[in-house]
Amino acid sequence: MTIDLARHFGPGGTFERSLEGWRVRPQQLEFAQAVLGAIESAGVLIAEAGTGTGKTFAYLAPALVAGGRVIVSTGTKTLQDQLFHRDLPLVREAMGVPAKTALLKGRANYVCLHHLEESAAEGTFASREEARDIHAIARFAGRTDSGDKAECLQVPELSGAWARATSTRENCLGSKCRHYEDCFVMKARKAAADADLVVVNHHLFFADVVLRDEGVTDLLPSANTVIFDEAHHLPDLARLFFGQSVSTAQVVELARDARGAQILHAKETPAIGEAALAADRAARDVRIALGTGTGRYAAAQLDANADLARALDALDERLGALGEILAAHAERADELRNAHARALELRAAIAAWRGEAGEGAVRWVEAYSHSATLHRTPLDVAPIFAQQVSGAKRAWIFTSATLSVGGDFAHYQSELGLAQAATHYWESPYDFPNQALLYVPEGLPDPNSPGYTEAVIDAAFPVIEAAGGRAFLLFTSLRAMDAGHARLREKLAAAGLDWPLYLQGTAGKNELLDRFRDTPNAILLGSQSFWEGVDVKGEALSLVVIDKLPFNPPDDPVLAARIEQINRAGGNAFMQYQVPRAVIALKQGAGRLIRDETDRGVLMICDPRLVSKAYGKRIWRALPPFRRTRSRGEAVAFFRGAA
């Protein structure tokens, strides 16, 4: 049967008749036809579509009509919810396709009836707020069909109560749980198994791949087609999931669960709780041994840290002691048996991390505010991922607005071992030369010089004034963001401008975006989390300022090891690896500006290397075809209607 997608996407087609404001875009139809071809041939397609192409509809339509089960994987849970609750129903209803669809998230997103019940029975909470939230979750669990915590709006996402009311793979009792038949996770997986199209996120997809390789129960149903939206995230996620990691937070969770199990099932054995508390303290001591800073550290940097070595020795000893006493009482309850197995696994994982990394891998540590994670990461995941792609007869589709460098997909293909994939690139349908101006100011110092961030704000301020605020200022580091915020606050005060100034981290991302959209003259300063996945249409956002070219910090242990590996093999890591990654990240940041065919604005990239360095020209050519200038007067005039 021949499937005619033009009758849906073309003039007078299904979507134009059904959806208000729909515009026919030739690129979108071509994209949809390429996706259909890949599905029908079980091929591999890498597709970049510029902003405004309508890629979500372009892959959903053929996915719904081509037959077979489809898994659509998104970059974040927010996009996952948007796709499932908004985009997918629109496409399905407009096309009249009776396909079954399902939304599936990781287990930490669903209320666990067992752990919720245990927490309430245990009755010990870290704060009055946590106790209040546990009771709110219990009420939610009594009325919800899905158990998805995203629907429990009265409990903050970061509330400590969620850790008490959800499960992990380690502490789930599985079929031994007396709530198994009512388990929200199991219900969601069953719905996914019965669906024609399942919406997941990349983390869950990779978790499933790893568990399949280990011979553990599958999380996801088998599928004829896998579609990755926001596919530019995949190389870094693949490195994370195909490696091994163990966290001090896992030990803290084990200690908490062991204490709870002792209170409920072995009250007369306080030694279990004492051993658990000792393991908890030992885990926290590991974090303390890393110092007060947060960040990533190569294991080689930490070899001379005697405090860390002693803390890891002590943690091993405490986990061993906890494991022994849990083993003696494991038959008394499934919770105690489960805690015993976890103690053994954590001890083995820490011991494995302390060994040699092996060829082609790097050991490193990530220090957070209150925990630390020990990682062993493969540097080249292309052979592993290519094996996954070739191991099953199915279609694989990778799409994003940012996968290529000027239409060249070689970097992305090499990262994931997709040399034989078909590649397609579609320009945005927007009129970029008339809608936007790219301004690179003259006279700024070297980005590594002292006072650079202050110079960026000084250069940007006249343009911010001309734009009436309505600006995003995107920084490549939190430190630069904070310095930029302080300088801009001074400049606004000196100019007598009482414009709202929003800073990443002072409230939730969605809350800040809502305030920005709803408040005249607003200015928002953000770092990494605001470079992508942010959609502000209309006049609320008319200026995007980027402080530097977004090169990853060279002291990042995985990046440093990857650079060394490429250079040792005779390559040029800077041009082959670092520049393409910077291009993809910069395109994401630039993509915040023009989100609709009526949007107008200025993109200001302050880094002088964009025009002074030979590699800058490669980056310059890969950006959208905005009209370009180095004149501040022209940038200011853009907002006065003189350009």
Side-chain angles (χ1 to χ4, degrees), residues 320-590:
L322 177 59
E324 284 181 16
I325 193 162
L326 286 169
H329 297 274
E331 296 308 312
R332 302 177 64 171
D334 288 331
E335 290 84 354
L336 292 166
R337 188 181 304 111
N338 175 278
H340 169 242
R342 289 162 64 192
L344 296 180
E345 289 170 5
L346 286 169
R347 196 179 184 196
I350 293 167
W353 182 84
R354 298 184 79 180
E356 290 299 317
E359 186 67 28
V362 60
R363 292 189 309 122
W364 56 286
V365 178
E366 184 147 25
Y368 302 97
S369 298
H370 302 292
S371 66
T373 302
L374 315 178
H375 294 275
R376 182 194 302 266
T377 301
L379 298 178
D380 184 5
V381 294
I384 309 172
F385 194 81
Q387 188 175 3
Q388 296 293 333
V389 172
S390 62
K393 185 68 173 174
R394 58 163 59 147
W396 296 79
I397 292 141
F398 304 82
T399 183
S400 170
T402 55
L403 293 175
S404 75
V405 179
D408 181 355
F409 293 86
H411 169 72
Y412 190 79
Q413 289 175 281
S414 68
E415 284 275 80
L416 292 179
L418 302 174
Q420 304 307 313
T423 61
H424 286 279
Y425 170 77
W426 289 276
E427 293 275 5
S428 168
Y430 296 153
D431 184 6
F432 283 141
N434 288 313
Q435 287 182 252
L437 181 70
L438 169 57
Y439 168 44
V440 181
E442 294 183 300
L444 279 175
D446 183 273
N448 297 314
S449 62
Y452 176 76
T453 299
E454 289 75 11
V456 164
I457 298 300
D458 292 348
F461 191 71
V463 190
I464 295 170
E465 276 191 297
R470 304 184 299 153
F472 272 6
L473 276 65
L474 302 178
F475 296 86
T476 51
S477 72
L478 292 172
R479 182 181 299 173
M481 180 187 77
D482 289 337
H485 178 254
R487 183 70 158 201
L488 183 55
R489 194 170 50 198
E490 291 173 4
K491 300 282 287 185
L492 288 170
L497 296 171
D498 188 22
W499 291 346
L501 200 56
Y502 300 127
L503 181 68
Q504 175 184 320
T506 57
K509 180 177 177 179
N510 290 334
E511 183 182 342
L512 286 174
L513 284 171
D514 288 342
R515 288 188 206 164
F516 179 85
R517 289 187 184 100
D518 296 340
T519 312
N521 309 114
I523 303 168
L524 188 150
L525 293 86
S527 187
Q528 187 174 1
S529 63
F530 282 90
W531 280 68
E532 59 178 283
V534 173
D535 191 6
V536 180
K537 295 178 181 177
E539 293 185 353
L541 178 60
S542 297
L543 170 64
V544 172
V545 179
I546 293 175
D547 71 330
K548 292 183 185 180
L549 298 178
F551 288 108
N552 295 106
D555 57 352
D556 178 280
V558 179
L559 177 64
R562 185 81 174 106
I563 289 170
E564 183 183 351
Q565 182 189 50
I566 293 170
N567 290 338
R568 199 168 52 236
N572 180 334
F574 183 73
M575 293 304 294
Q576 290 173 232
Y577 191 70
Q578 291 170 273
V579 169
R581 285 173 67 92
V583 168
I584 289 170
L586 186 61
K587 284 166 66 178
Q588 281 290 335

Side-chain angles (χ1 to χ4, degrees), residues 154 236 286 327 428 447 481 526 594:
Q154 61 270 46
D236 286 339
V286 169
S428 168
M481 180 187 77
I594 303 298

Side-chain angles (χ1 to χ4, degrees), residues 279-355:
D280 181 301
R281 284 194 294 270
R284 297 178 193 276
D285 286 344
V286 169
R287 173 61 190 91
I288 291 169
L290 291 168
T292 57
T294 59
R296 298 179 165 198
Y297 307 95
Q301 292 176 260
L302 304 171
D303 285 345
N305 187 334
D307 289 341
L308 178 61
R310 281 192 292 270
L312 288 170
D313 288 341
L315 179 56
D316 177 68
E317 186 179 325
R318 301 295 181 271
L319 280 171
L322 177 59
E324 284 181 16
I325 193 162
L326 286 169
H329 297 274
E331 296 308 312
R332 302 177 64 171
D334 288 331
E335 290 84 354
L336 292 166
R337 188 181 304 111
N338 175 278
H340 169 242
R342 289 162 64 192
L344 296 180
E345 289 170 5
L346 286 169
R347 196 179 184 196
I350 293 167
W353 182 84
R354 298 184 79 180

Side-chain angles (χ1 to χ4, degrees), residues 23-39:
R23 281 174 172 52
V24 174
R25 288 156 285 190
Q27 301 98 319
Q28 189 178 37
L29 174 58
E30 291 174 15
F31 188 162
Q33 290 168 332
V35 170
L36 179 61
I39 293 174

